[in-house]
Structures are given as C-alpha cells and as structure tokens.
Amino acid sequence: FMKWHIEKFLSSLSKIDLIITSTEKNKKRLIKWGVKDKQISVVPIGVDSNIFIKMKNELKDKLYIKYNIPRDKIIIGSFQKDGIGWGEGNEPKVIKGPDIFINSLDKIKRHFDPFVILTGPSRGFVKKGLKKLKIKYLHLNVSNKQDLSELYNLLDFYFICSREEGGPKGLMEAMSCGVTVIANNVGMVDTLINNKKNGYIVDFKPESFFEYFVLHTKLSKNEKALLSVNAQKTAKNFDWNNISKKYYNEVSRFFIK
C-alpha cells in the first residue's frame, strides 16, 4: 500500500514545482527516490512559544491538584496516537513505537516509581501495557493547546519512541515548555537536540531510554535547570513567526518573479 503511494507520487513529479519537507532526512530520501534537489525545500515544523511555555511553580502546584497528579513520582509523558484505527487502539501502530515505550517503562519500573500522562486517541495498547506493569497513569484525549501546555508542565520527561516522524510536534512543544526530552533519532530530533545539552537522542532501544533516564536523574539541580533552559532557547528558534517567514520565502522563490 505504501509502495503504491510512493510510486504514484513519483509519477507526478513532472507536475510538481515545489516539495516542502520538514527534515534533511526526508530531503535525502526524496533525492534518493529521484526527486531533483531544486524541487525540494526544507521548512521545519514550528511551535507557538507563547502558549507552550514553562510555567511558574505556583501555577504548577495548582495543576497537580487540578489533574490529581502525585507529587512523589517521576512523571513521564507520551502525547500521540499510537493505536491502529480510531477505536480503543488495542492493536499497536508499530511505526509510532508503543512497544518501545512500554519496554522502556518496564526497565524504569524495576528501579523507579513512574507515573505516566497520556494524551491522544487509541492508546489501548499502551494502557494495557501500563496496567500489566502496574504503572499508574492519566489518559486525557486533549487537543486544546492551552490544556496540552498545562500537561507538558507536569512532566519530568517526554519520551518520543517513534520509528518514523516528520517532527513530531511534541518535540518542539515539550522543549518549549522546558521538559527533558528523550527521543529516538527520527524526524527533527537531531535538528533540535544537541545530545546531553538540551535533551537526549537514543537509538530505538529501550535500554537506551533507560540509560539516559538514569543519567538525567543523577544530574544536579543546576545541571537539570540548565538543560531545561537550553531546550527552551532552542525551541524559541522554531516559533511559528520564524517558520512562517521561511515558508513564505521558500514558496515565493517559485511563484513570485
């Protein structure tokens, strides 16, 4: 099915002036498929850094109460859809890596006491896995940006376990909120994350998620704060005000003479 879509796309190249992709990875892939370099522009996905912000501790205290989140646990987030279809999502969408997420938490649970916050529909596979591991969680199907920002601010870690991504948006949103991101090297991850400086890049293995999780927990309070600040500074560069200008400039070179 995917092969058919790719072949259909490639057969239409003569009719396409410009292809916009969010990453250099995808640009290289397109060129490998036969797309001409001049047809491709790389424009990253952006973030609204006025909404996705690191909130003050007084407000976070209220959020713990609002969402009934325990204060004595390490909070890990995963905000996406990773089940097949739009039902319960008990069958995993493998490309989104819900199996990597659960296996990573399995290793963490042996030494720590995590609490998980989930958003997005069709999270059945993950929820069953969490119940099996006896990890408590909160699942809210949230789409409002302000609500999402609140939930990001409750996190100690945000995990990106996908095997393929265009962004994801959660990368920029979490970093903009100053959350520690541990992510597979997909999509825009290596564009934003300077490993161990503003987040952590791993190699698709649950063992690696656990390794960097433990590494971060051993940092001093000041070291953790610096990583958080660095993440926010990086995300600021990807504010939609900056990205929209790049988008306009890339498109205009084809259509504005």
Side-chain angles (χ1 to χ4, degrees):
F1 182 71
M2 183 64 71
K3 184 178 179 182
W4 180 86
H5 277 285
I6 293 171
E7 290 174 350
K8 196 75 173 175
F9 162 70
L10 294 175
S11 68
S12 304
L13 286 177
S14 61
K15 302 175 184 178
I16 298 174
D17 293 303
L18 176 64
I19 298 168
I20 295 178
T21 182
S22 59
T23 70
E24 290 291 338
K25 289 189 188 74
N26 284 340
K27 180 178 179 178
K28 291 176 181 177
R29 182 181 297 168
L30 289 167
I31 291 173
K32 188 176 180 179
W33 288 349
V35 180
K36 295 178 181 178
D37 183 278
K38 65 180 182 180
Q39 282 180 282
I40 309 168
S41 288
V42 176
V43 181
I45 296 171
V47 63
D48 189 336
S49 58
N50 291 317
I51 293 179
F52 293 98
I53 59 173
K54 186 176 180 67
M55 298 176 182
K56 295 181 178 180
N57 288 335
E58 308 90 83
L59 181 53
K60 286 181 67 174
D61 287 339
K62 295 178 181 179
L63 294 179
Y64 278 105
I65 297 170
K66 175 180 177 179
Y67 292 103
N68 194 26
I69 302 297
R71 295 170 182 263
D72 59 342
K73 297 180 185 288
I74 297 175
I75 315 298
I76 299 171
S78 169
F79 300 171
Q80 63 172 359
K81 176 185 180 298
D82 54 17
I84 292 177
W86 292 95
E88 291 297 317
N90 292 323
E91 186 178 352
K93 192 173 184 180
V94 176
I95 199 169
K96 290 292 186 179
D99 55 317
I100 298 176
F101 185 59
I102 290 298
N103 288 334
S104 299
L105 289 168
D106 181 21
K107 296 184 181 303
I108 290 169
K109 181 65 165 61
R110 297 174 195 179
H111 306 275
F112 299 88
D113 188 19
F115 183 92
V116 173
I117 299 180
L118 306 172
T119 72
S122 306
R123 305 301 307 266
F125 177 85
V126 167
K127 290 194 287 186
K128 282 188 175 181
L130 293 174
K131 289 174 184 175
K132 186 176 181 179
L133 293 173
K134 297 182 179 178
I135 296 175
K136 293 183 179 180
Y137 67 90
L138 170 69
H139 177 218
L140 296 172
N141 195 359
V142 173
S143 58
N144 179 279
K145 289 182 179 180
Q146 186 59 52
D147 291 341
L148 275 173
S149 181
E150 290 183 357
L151 293 175
Y152 277 117
N153 271 273
L154 289 168
L155 303 180
D156 296 299
F157 294 90
Y158 186 78
F159 280 12
I160 297 173
C161 299
S162 303
R163 293 178 169 89
E164 187 76 44
E165 282 288 354
K169 288 192 297 182
L171 170 66
M172 287 72 76
E173 292 169 353
M175 292 180 72
S176 189
C177 292
V179 180
T180 299
V181 175
I182 304 179
N184 282 330
N185 193 5
V186 294
M188 290 171 54
V189 167
D190 60 357
T191 301
L192 274 80
I193 293 183
N194 182 359
N195 201 29
K196 300 182 183 179
K197 302 296 184 182
N198 61 359
Y200 302 101
I201 302 178
V202 296
D203 56 2
F204 302 88
K205 298 175 183 177
E207 295 83 1
S208 299
F209 278 86
F210 176 70
E211 176 187 340
Y212 278 117
F213 175 90
V214 173
L215 174 67
H216 188 79
T217 62
K218 292 181 178 179
L219 296 181
S220 68
K221 185 176 181 181
N222 288 340
E223 288 172 326
K224 291 177 182 178
L226 178 59
L227 189 142
S228 177
V229 169
N230 288 341
Q232 293 171 75
K233 288 180 178 177
T234 299
K236 193 76 173 178
N237 295 326
F238 292 83
D239 182 84
W240 275 119
N241 286 322
N242 297 326
I243 299 302
S244 61
K245 291 173 185 176
K246 182 172 177 58
Y247 197 103
Y248 175 82
N249 290 335
E250 291 298 314
V251 172
S252 63
R253 67 188 176 94
F254 279 87
F255 301 107
I256 300 176
K257 306 298 182 181

